[in-house]
Amino acid sequence: MENIGSFIDMIFVTAKAWILALLGQFLPVWIVVLASIVISGVAILCLGPVIMMYLTLLERKVIGRIQNRYGPNRVGIWGLLQPIADGIKMFTKEDIVPANADKLIHLLAPIMTVVPALMIFVVVPFGRQMTAADLNIGFLYFIAVSSITILPIFMASWSSRNKYSLLGGMRTAAQLISYEVPMTLAAVPAIMMSQSLSTNTIVLTQAGSFGLNWFIFTPWGIVGFIVFFLCATAECNRPPFDLPEAESELVAGFHTEYSGMKFALFYMAEYMNAFTLCGIAATLFLGGWQGPFLPSWVWFFGKTLALICIMIWFRGTFPRFRVDHLMAFAWKFLLPLTLVNILLTALWQFTSASAAWLFSIMILAAMLYMLVKLNRVFVPEKRNYVLAD
Amino acid sequence: MIFGAGVFKGMMVTLKNFLTSYYRDRDNGGIFTVQYPEEREKLAENYRNLPFLVYDGAPDQIRCVACGICERECPPKCIHIEMATDAAGKPARKPAVFDIDYSLCMNCGICEEVCPFDSIYMDHTFEITSQAGPRSLIRGKEALARSNDYFRKIRPAMAAAVDQKRKTAEDKKKAAATPPPPQEIK
Ligand code: SF4
Ligand code: SF4
């Protein structure tokens, strides 16, 4: 029983090791090293698009159910082949480039969005020993690479020579830069507690008994998680933070002038970002692949999918933010909250457990109360026109 | 009110919708999609689409007498009638040609209203596509003829009223044909 469990747990790792051992029989060492990189790379390159395809299907299904209709259910059983049909449609579409567009940048932008989205996969710990590259600055790498996504989006909007695109691009720049700050700060407590920037080590410190010592079970963990998750939703331009591509205001925002496969690339980047951000959120606060009984990678994918479902749920529920509300939310609410949260983590580290709970809850409640009061929306009093009656 | 309660409430609404879509029926918060080719909505009795000609008995005994009123009244002019002539060259009281261009008909139902002989009524069919070009939806009188039973089936109330009306008219006619018993003349 134990053996089977650990075998399934390590099945991908074992498979890779076996292939490498086989190659090692009759090939020089440097080729084996190269092959190791290629195998991980190919696995990620296949995983990314497949995840994107089926996330679109999942999203359409769930949103459909929320709106009391079936989602796509015609192509294949339960519509399972729908993403493939969509892919064929995208490939056969005409590729239109606006006459006055900056052709080179217009072409480069969609390609460049996909690259960072795929690069983040490298540091995501999919399971026990299943991090493609266990960088000791893994989290820093994630922050750095994910902030690149602003650039291609802005390239796309600028090169399209379309006012809607440009407005979308401007909004993207403002939004993504604002939300990057609280997102990074929200993750700091997890890094403080695990004393490492490596995503794998962060997961390992959440082991505990039964692998259930997740950071989310502490007051700073839950605040950090909520803030991080909200910022992650904003980072991948998903509703209710989808101002950069607000259909009702900006046609389609930065990808207004894209069609066919280029458009699909933007979509792909968006969904892969959603996946990796959820994966990182799970890694930082939900214990990554830690969990009792089931194989580690099942835990990881389960948690990530659950988070993605919550994102879809958000999309089915909330109307879009107004631009000033969006900015105010990031700078006036989330940012102070994360700063307090960092202090709270320090407090947690240096006090005994039960007292820490008490203190944290008190401080958090006071802080929330203060922030809500400070962020109160100004509603002018209703005027009484004395002479009007 | 706790901060964020509204957000939570909204999310519960969508969650409820999501869950009930699996087990409730249409009018109770379940899915209201009708999967068209497999499932169909029941049409209302007075649903009207594209006219047909009613016959009693054999299919060539349509009630139409080729009076041409519907042809004149039809707003888009999609009815074309030619009166038949008998062997002697006198006009017979039935159409030789009765064509309706379904691609032109706008389903207004005026033909049904103006016909004094209860012979043209609106049908319940609506799946009449054709890829063969604009003239392919012209229907001749054979294609338009439907039995009175069919009429009774799709629009029972209307058909019953029409039958009743025709019967009383018939009875009156019979009564008129048989000369009334001579009344005493003063
Ligand atoms: S359908 Fe009615 S109105 Fe039209 S020609 Fe025939 S009898 Fe006249
Ligand atoms: S329904 Fe209207 S448009 Fe169609 S044939 Fe009758 S009168 Fe003409």
Side-chain angles (χ1 to χ4, degrees), chain A residues 115-127:
Chain A
V115 173
L118 276 171
M119 275 165 76
I120 300 174
F121 274 91
V122 169
V123 291
V124 176
F126 290 100

Side-chain angles (χ1 to χ4, degrees), chain B residues 53 63-71 81 98 115-117 119-120:
Chain B
L53 297 173
R63 290 178 188 168
C64 175
V65 297
C67 70
I69 294 177
C70 57
E71 183 182 22
I81 302 173
F98 195 117
C115 177
F117 299 92
S119 68
I120 189 164

Side-chain angles (χ1 to χ4, degrees), chain A residues 61-63 65-70 73-74 310 313-314 316-318 329 333 368 372, chain B residues 3 7 10-12 14-15 17-18 20-22 29-33 35 37-39:
Chain A
K61 284 270 188 196
V62 173
I63 292 279
R65 288 280 171 179
I66 283 176
Q67 296 166 353
N68 281 348
R69 51 188 178 79
Y70 306 92
N73 62 355
R74 291 281 149 169
I310 294 179
W313 187 8
F314 278 171
T317 310
F318 300 124
F329 187 58
F333 189 84
L368 264 179
V372 171
Chain B
F3 178 69
V7 168
M11 291 190 65
M12 282 304 123
T14 40
L15 180 66
N17 261 334
F18 177 77
T20 53
S21 77
Y22 281 98
I31 286 181
F32 45 70
T33 310
Q35 307 235 48
E38 293 96 35
E39 299 169 20

Side-chain angles (χ1 to χ4, degrees), chain A residues 26-48:
Chain A
F26 41 84
L27 287 173
V29 179
W30 62 272
I31 291 191
V32 176
V33 173
L34 209 64
S36 162
I37 297 171
V38 168
I39 290 173
S40 301
V42 167
I44 285 173
L45 283 180
C46 296
L47 192 69

Side-chain angles (χ1 to χ4, degrees), chain B residues 62-83:
Chain B
I62 50 179
R63 290 178 188 168
C64 175
V65 297
C67 70
I69 294 177
C70 57
E71 183 182 22
R72 254 174 284 130
E73 294 290 336
C74 174
K77 296 277 172 264
C78 63
I79 305 181
H80 172 71
I81 302 173
E82 279 168 25
M83 192 178 280

Side-chain angles (χ1 to χ4, degrees), chain A residues 93-288:
Chain A
K93 279 217 167 164
E94 187 189 353
D95 174 36
I96 301 166
V97 180
N100 285 329
D102 188 332
K103 303 262 169 358
L104 181 66
I105 295 182
H106 192 266
L107 171 70
L108 276 180
I111 301 168
M112 271 188 65
T113 37
V114 176
V115 173
L118 276 171
M119 275 165 76
I120 300 174
F121 274 91
V122 169
V123 291
V124 176
F126 290 100
R128 202 185 301 277
Q129 297 177 28
M130 274 169 69
T131 318
D134 186 11
L135 301 179
N136 55 2
I137 49 152
F139 182 74
L140 213 56
Y141 170 89
F142 157 73
I143 289 290
V145 172
S146 72
S147 60
I148 298 177
T149 37
I150 303 172
L151 201 62
I153 289 181
F154 201 72
M155 281 163 65
S157 63
W158 185 260
S159 66
S160 298
R161 208 189 172 98
N162 173 320
K163 55 180 175 285
Y164 295 116
S165 298
L166 191 57
L167 279 172
M170 292 294 187
R171 284 183 178 187
T172 313
Q175 175 183 327
L176 295 200
I177 290 171
S178 311
Y179 277 83
E180 204 107 285
V181 179
M183 184 166 97
T184 315
L185 288 178
V188 167
I191 296 164
M192 283 164 75
M193 290 309 271
S194 52
Q195 303 185 351
S196 162
L197 282 168
S198 149
T199 44
N200 205 26
T201 319
I202 292 174
V203 174
L204 285 175
T205 44
Q206 301 179 58
S209 53
F210 286 114
L212 272 176
N213 187 21
W214 305 351
F215 287 155
I216 195 169
F217 299 139
T218 56
W220 51 268
I222 193 154
V223 173
F225 170 71
I226 292 173
V227 175
F228 187 89
F229 186 63
L230 286 179
C231 294
T233 317
E235 280 288 294
C236 49
N237 298 336
R238 290 188 55 85
F241 304 98
D242 62 338
L243 284 113
E245 44 195 275
E247 312 80 349
S248 43
E249 305 156 25
L250 297 179
V251 189
F254 62 87
H255 53 58
T256 306
E257 296 291 358
Y258 283 89
S259 58
M261 213 46 213
K262 289 183 187 164
F263 172 76
L265 284 181
F266 277 116
Y267 246 72
M268 192 190 261
E270 187 180 321
Y271 280 90
M272 288 194 305
N273 269 333
F275 182 84
T276 43
L277 282 164
C278 286
I280 295 281
T283 303
L284 289 176
F285 296 101
L286 299 183

